[in-house]
Amino acid sequence: MIEINNLSVSRDGARILHDVTLNVPPGRLAAIIGPNGAGKSTLLHCMAGLLPPDCGQVLVNSRNIHALSEARRALILSLLTQAQGTIPRLSVQDLVAFGRWPHHRGRPTATDRAITAKALARFDLDQLATRNVETLSGGQRQRAFVAMAYAQSTPWMFLDEPLAALDPKYVRDIMDRLRDMTGDKTGQRSIALVLHDLSVAARYADFCIAMKAGRIIAAGPWRDIVTSDLLSDLYDTPLRVAQLDGVPVVMGL
Ligand code: ADP
Ligand code: MG
């Protein structure tokens, strides 16, 4: 469980998050949605312990995340940021293996190597394992970074818009795999991710957090959040949730 209590956060002197109180249940795929500038990335960074709050606190599995060392945090959560900044000059295999660093701190074991191999296979990267990350397409690179976060084997995974630059096949592949990791099945991961595509959120997320102007507008099971009225209000534009062959789709009107 993540418990966020009365959290306020500023950046460069400007208040970005206002009195956020929110519980994110474990074992779920929790989607954070909301318009550009709503504070989604700021919230995720603060949940990861990277931005100090002005007031309030974030408890991840009952631990105050801002009171932990970076080394301890890296065993509890992984964070894939929205822009990965400089692209590392590493092979895909070495990038994914880097996800194991918090566990071995420079001395990889057979277990670390086995988990790296599993992550490469799980994200369909075996064919690209020896390629330099710099030479990959945007979508291939994105998959490699998600695989690195997966290899970190943390109970919580935070992903900021992990589907940017992915074509539909890989959107489905990655979302299917992320969903398979949550719940009571293999691995038991809890995932919180920022999603831009509302139809993807409607289809895959089982918990949704709607944000606007630095506040939580609503949070709960996706059926309560992904409604035509709530989304139209959230985005200040007419949106409609429809069903297509039993699958929810969100359309602009
Ligand atoms: P989202 O991810 O929902 O698009 P962000 O969390 O990135 O939103 O940004 C929320 C608000 O905070 C925006 O108005 C943005 O301009 C502002 N902001 C983000 N980073 C900084 C920063 N380093 N300094 C000042 N303002 C920032
Ligand atoms: Mg963002």
Side-chain angles (χ1 to χ4, degrees), residues 40-42 82 160-161 194:
K40 305 179 297 294
S41 296
T42 303
Q82 196 169 357
D160 197 349
E161 298 200 24
V194 178

Side-chain angles (χ1 to χ4, degrees), residues 178-196:
L178 292 178
R179 188 166 60 184
D180 286 349
M181 285 173 209
T182 58
D184 297 327
K185 289 166 274 171
T186 50
Q188 294 205 336
R189 306 290 183 99
S190 306
I191 299 176
L193 78 178
V194 178
L195 287 179
H196 212 66

Side-chain angles (χ1 to χ4, degrees), residues 138-225:
Q140 291 169 333
R141 194 178 294 157
Q142 198 67 14
R143 270 193 291 139
F145 277 100
V146 174
M148 175 177 70
Y150 170 71
Q152 201 176 325
S153 306
T154 49
W156 284 89
M157 285 175 78
F158 299 155
L159 311 167
D160 197 349
E161 298 200 24
L163 307 177
L166 289 180
D167 64 35
K169 169 178 153 48
Y170 283 114
V171 167
R172 173 190 285 245
D173 274 17
I174 288 204
M175 291 309 295
D176 282 348
R177 279 157 219 207
L178 292 178
R179 188 166 60 184
D180 286 349
M181 285 173 209
T182 58
D184 297 327
K185 289 166 274 171
T186 50
Q188 294 205 336
R189 306 290 183 99
S190 306
I191 299 176
L193 78 178
V194 178
L195 287 179
H196 212 66
D197 185 326
L198 297 170
S199 293
V200 173
R203 178 165 190 175
Y204 287 96
D206 32 30
F207 190 86
C208 277
I209 299 151
M211 291 189 74
K212 190 178 192 174
R215 300 176 196 276
I216 306 292
I217 301 299
W222 77 270
R223 277 182 193 287
D224 297 344
I225 308 298

